[in-house]
Amino acid sequence: MSPVDHLLHLDRTLDELDPPRWATPAADATRLVRTVHELRRVPLGGLGAADLRTLVAQRVALPYVLPLAVRLLIEEPLLDACFYEGDLLLTAVNAPSSAWALLPEHAARLRAVITRLRGAEVADLPRGAAEELARFSAGAGPLG
């Protein structure tokens, strides 16, 4: 199945679409590890903005979660998913370029969203955000 076909499977989970299924985390696993494991068992259609931000930040099943993030960002580019306005956008643009290479149409859509942002909107984002957005828009991969 093509990674972009996932939108036809919003009733399926990452454990189903991105094998192998993950084992139950260890009893002493961190809260983040337990959360990511739990999110892999949620149908794609049930993942919210904060869930997507977490999965993208942790680089989990990116061919499936990045398109969902882009879908939200088209509607609301500076969505406050969890921590601050624009956090989902900045997390998405910092996903590995190898993941975006699998999703050229979604990358192009996100670039279009970024180019429509006004300077004042970008200025209100955290320090370095303008550079991260410009780097993504230019087709360059994340730093570091």
Side-chain angles (χ1 to χ4, degrees):
M1 174 177 69
S2 164
V4 295
D5 289 342
H6 79 283
L7 290 176
L8 302 174
H9 301 286
L10 294 176
D11 60 330
R12 297 184 65 198
T13 69
L14 291 173
D15 267 354
E16 293 172 305
L17 296 168
D18 183 46
R21 290 180 187 266
W22 288 12
T24 303
D28 62 346
T30 66
R31 181 177 181 206
L32 177 60
V33 168
R34 287 191 312 274
T35 297
V36 170
H37 279 255
E38 290 168 11
L39 291 175
R40 285 188 52 90
R41 294 189 299 270
V42 173
L44 293 182
L47 295 172
D51 303 329
L52 294 171
R53 191 209 55 76
T54 298
L55 291 166
V56 173
Q58 296 304 307
R59 300 180 175 190
V60 174
L62 293 177
Y64 297 99
V65 297
L66 280 173
L68 295 173
V70 169
R71 189 170 72 167
L72 292 178
L73 293 168
I74 288 170
E75 298 296 319
E76 189 177 347
L78 299 177
L79 176 71
D80 180 343
C82 189
F83 296 115
Y84 55 86
E85 187 175 47
D87 59 351
L88 180 59
L89 176 62
L90 292 175
T91 300
V93 300
N94 282 301
S97 55
S98 58
W100 285 112
L102 298 173
L103 303 163
E105 291 178 18
H106 290 88
R109 287 184 188 125
L110 190 56
R111 286 185 181 98
V113 165
I114 292 168
T115 60
R116 289 191 299 271
L117 291 175
R118 295 186 304 269
E121 293 172 315
V122 174
D124 288 341
L125 295 174
R127 183 183 321 171
E131 292 79 10
E132 292 174 28
L133 295 173
R135 186 183 67 254
F136 180 83
S137 292
L143 298 175

